[in-house]
Amino acid sequence: MKPLKLLIVAMNEQWLNLLEESLTNAGYHFQIRQVNSKQAAIKAFRESKYDLLISNYALPDGAISDLATVLGSQLPCMVVSEGQCPVSSEKVLAIQDSNYYINCYSRLDWIPALENTIEKWQSNARQDINAHLRNHDSLYKKSLNRCVELLSGASTQKEADALTTEAFEMLLEVMDLSRIYLCSALHAPDNTFVIRQMIEVSAAGVAAKMLFTENPKEIPFFDHWTKSFEQGHTVSERLDAFPATERQWLGRHGIQSLMAAPIGRGTKWLGYMAIEDNLNIREWTPAETELIVAVANLLPQHYFLTSKSSRIETELFASPV
């Protein structure tokens, strides 16, 4: 079991000793970081992750409400104040917004207070996450309907290019992406192929990739991409999941997380649509995956099946990549 990591703010040594004794007697493994001010707590939080923050109500540099507002969405916060028990009048530590009073005589008084605080925060967090996902599901459905309108409305190749770009720009904003782009796979008679980028939209401040023709052998993970694409499956990559020796392809474009959805299926899959997050290591949700797959299936076929593509393919395979 991982140790419980606690961030303690401005707590009297007497109560800190009691907390340590309580956790030890209850069989917990734990690590404590103690700081003496609100600003020091924020700095400590930025430097490491914690399971729970326990703060004295009285802080030397401002109201506890400020600290709880800043950190409360990231981890459970338990606020305590020193005083007297209203029943026995003995010196106690009171847990704000609860009926818990902790005294110096019981070494287990801390445990239910800690566990309830964490459980309450986790329950609230689950509700917030579920509400967030519901809102995104609704937004993604509206986005898909708009993509259907855009990508079915073109009568010429020029219009299709403009409408595809408009759809990509909308998805970039709705999904909070860094890049979104479309690549075609140009197949040769001997079952080799090259990748050509057709459309790309990047967020503000994100450098565009060069339009490129890539030899798949230069991409460290493309063998397993090919197998997934042939089966019609999406693929996703995260920079932190790669050995250091294989991070160059993602790292040279600043990619933290990537997802690609194939277009077409079987050994002659036609290409793929990809999205990237260059700021965060990201787990793509089922709703995000479904949206990208659906949009990929809507993309105009002129990117893959025209005589122009056949001519480009012939020229590419006639010279080195």
Side-chain angles (χ1 to χ4, degrees):
M1 184 175 68
K2 290 184 178 180
L4 188 66
K5 296 188 66 175
L6 304 177
L7 179 58
I8 309 296
V9 187
M11 183 176 290
N12 183 292
E13 184 177 355
Q14 177 186 28
W15 300 115
L16 182 60
N17 291 338
L18 178 59
L19 170 61
E20 293 175 339
E21 291 176 1
S22 299
L23 290 170
T24 299
N25 278 274
Y28 277 94
H29 300 283
F30 59 93
Q31 296 174 357
I32 287 178
R33 170 83 180 272
Q34 186 175 18
V35 296
N36 293 319
S37 69
K38 178 172 61 178
Q39 291 300 319
I42 294 173
K43 182 176 184 294
F45 177 78
R46 289 173 179 166
E47 295 172 349
S48 185
K49 293 183 178 180
Y50 296 92
D51 299 303
L52 175 66
L53 178 143
I54 305 175
S55 176
N56 203 318
Y57 181 80
L59 299 177
D61 57 347
I64 180 59
S65 56
D66 296 337
L67 182 61
T69 299
V70 172
L71 300 185
S73 63
Q74 303 295 316
L75 81 165
C77 299
M78 186 165 72
V79 181
V80 299
S81 61
E82 299 179 19
Q84 290 183 322
C85 175
V87 177
S88 64
S89 296
E90 65 182 357
K91 185 177 179 182
V92 293
L93 196 66
I95 308 300
Q96 298 294 305
D97 300 322
S98 77
N99 293 322
Y100 283 101
Y101 297 90
I102 298 169
N103 60 44
C104 292
Y105 305 105
S106 174
R107 294 182 176 181
L108 292 179
D109 277 356
W110 272 103
I111 302 308
L114 296 175
E115 292 177 343
N116 283 6
T117 300
I118 293 174
E119 175 56 35
K120 181 179 179 180
W121 185 88
Q122 289 176 334
S123 177
N124 291 337
R126 282 193 293 268
Q127 293 178 26
D128 290 343
I129 290 171
N130 289 337
H132 178 78
L133 293 176
R134 285 195 299 272
N135 291 337
H136 271 72
D137 287 348
S138 176
L139 181 59
Y140 291 165
K141 288 177 183 177
K142 293 177 181 178
S143 300
L144 178 57
N145 290 337
R146 179 57 180 157
C147 286
V148 171
E149 294 175 3
L150 290 170
L151 298 176
S152 62
S155 57
T156 67
Q157 180 174 321
K158 185 176 181 180
E159 286 181 352
D161 290 347
L163 292 173
T164 300
T165 299
E166 184 177 344
F168 280 13
E169 288 173 343
M170 178 192 66
L171 292 173
L172 191 81
E173 182 175 354
V174 166
M175 299 180 67
D176 193 20
L177 303 171
S178 300
R179 289 194 192 96
I180 179 169
Y181 50 92
L182 170 65
C183 293
S184 63
L186 306 178
H187 295 268
D190 63 355
N191 292 325
T192 60
F193 61 91
V194 292
I195 303 299
R196 187 177 185 108
Q197 183 171 294
M198 310 299 289
I199 298 284
E200 178 188 343
V201 176
S202 299
V206 177
K209 292 179 176 177
M210 293 184 300
L211 293 178
F212 65 96
T213 300
E214 286 281 358
N215 182 342
K217 292 181 180 179
E218 296 177 359
I219 304 174
F221 42 75
F222 218 93
D223 282 345
H224 89 79
W225 277 37
T226 300
K227 294 175 183 177
S228 293
F229 287 170
E230 288 176 353
Q231 297 172 8
H233 298 158
T234 62
V235 295
S236 60
E237 307 292 354
R238 291 175 21 158
L239 187 65
D240 63 341
F242 278 82
T245 55
E246 295 183 8
R247 294 181 182 180
Q248 182 179 2
W249 193 88
L250 291 177
R252 69 182 180 181
H253 294 300
I255 302 169
Q256 297 292 316
S257 300
L258 178 151
M259 176 171 65
I263 298 163
R265 188 171 179 173
T267 57
K268 290 291 185 179
W269 54 274
L270 304 174
Y272 60 90
M273 174 182 168
I275 59 175
E276 298 175 1
D277 190 327
N278 290 17
L279 298 177
N280 305 292
I281 297 294
R282 183 162 167 174
E283 290 286 352
W284 305 104
T285 67
E288 289 171 331
T289 303
E290 290 172 8
L291 176 58
I292 294 304
V293 169
V295 173
N297 290 331
L298 295 171
L299 291 170
Q301 293 299 296
H302 79 262
Y303 292 118
F304 316 103
L305 300 177
T306 64
S307 58
K308 180 181 178 182
S309 293
S310 299
R311 176 176 58 78
I312 293 172
E313 184 176 331
T314 301
E315 292 173 355
L316 285 170
F317 282 104
S319 59
V321 174

